[in-house]
Amino acid sequence: MLLALAVLASAFLSISWLAASRLVCPARQPLEGYHREILDHAGEHGMRVEPFTVRDREGFDVPCLLCEPMKNPGAAIKGNKLRDELKASGVALGAWGEVRATLVLLHGHNGRKEDHLPVAERFCAAGLRCILIDLPGHGEHPAPFASFGFREKTLPGDVLRAAAARFAFDAQPAALFGISQGGAIALQAAALADENWFAVAELSSFAALDDVIAEQAALWFGPLQSPARVMVHWLVGHRAKFRPEDVRPVDAAASLATMPVLIGHGDADAFIAPDHARRLFAATPGKRKLLLNIPGANHHNVLITSAPVYATASEFFLDALTR
């Protein structure tokens, strides 16, 4: 019996360690073929792409990409499709290459900045310059741990100002767009009192990180979910130096009284339940808010269903600019 208990305890600790590790330092994904194709032929996708780095407040050099629309794009198949959708909805667009605002794009957990290149090519087609950032613990960012916004929430504003100075454009107007982890960070960044974002849009975010941990603990540990949750919390705090219970995008949303906010979620998301989106939307006090239900979308394909998510998000940002 002692041997069985020792094996059980060892398995419990090993799985808890693995869960905490996957949370704060997920496996870093390499560049994929579609990333390289867009980087190597950016003009055919309607934009120019410039890599740069920004020294963050903790002394790390953050890898970033600047994506700007071109005046004379190549085929730009996806961008032109988006422009046609927007025009069909009555949205007035400028000529190719005209920039009306800047978006800072924040990728999801286990992702990297290049995941948002297909997103940037659509937004660029709508006249929105895009800045893509490798978040801590991801891509080529040298920091070892992610903290889901606890430390990252100041990064979008700092990168925006550094990019504006380096590439000689006006830092305003600017807005935030994020998916999953990136959406959680976007909401927390938007709530900072010393920043000046004109809008924020997120897809598939969570309302509170602790709730996600609790939901996953119930799934993986069953009757041992309570001690597992405590163990994961302790490991996260010990290794990554933050408390999961302090990461609450729902509280950030509650402070966005005047900012336009888009909350989007797939109704088939089994990883972060759609109830998180409903809580975020209910917490947002302003009148200029939009709850976007994406039929049939799960956590990983929220941008690639038949729903016109790109057109809806682009129209949301362009409309927020004009009011």
Side-chain angles (χ1 to χ4, degrees), residues 232-302:
V232 169
H233 273 244
W234 183 85
L235 288 168
V236 168
H238 177 71
R239 299 182 67 194
K241 310 303 180 187
F242 76 98
R243 301 194 315 162
E245 58 267 35
D246 292 335
V247 180
R248 293 180 52 83
V250 68
D251 293 341
S255 70
L256 303 178
T258 59
M259 184 182 300
V261 178
L262 185 153
I263 304 293
H265 216 95
D267 65 5
D269 193 334
F271 182 68
I272 297 179
D275 182 63
H276 283 264
R278 290 189 285 269
R279 289 167 58 193
L280 288 168
F281 186 76
T284 305
K287 296 181 178 180
R288 299 174 65 187
K289 60 181 182 177
L290 172 65
L291 180 62
L292 175 62
N293 175 65
I294 306 170
N298 59 42
H299 195 68
H300 302 291
N301 70 346
V302 69

Side-chain angles (χ1 to χ4, degrees), residues 75-94 96 121-122 125-126 308 310-312 314-315 318:
I77 295 173
K78 295 173 183 176
N80 279 311
K81 178 182 178 183
L82 175 69
R83 288 175 66 88
D84 289 342
E85 291 174 345
L86 291 173
K87 290 175 182 177
S89 297
V91 177
L93 295 174
W96 266 100
E121 68 176 297
R122 269 86 163 199
Y310 288 110
T312 302
S314 298
E315 186 170 357
L318 294 175

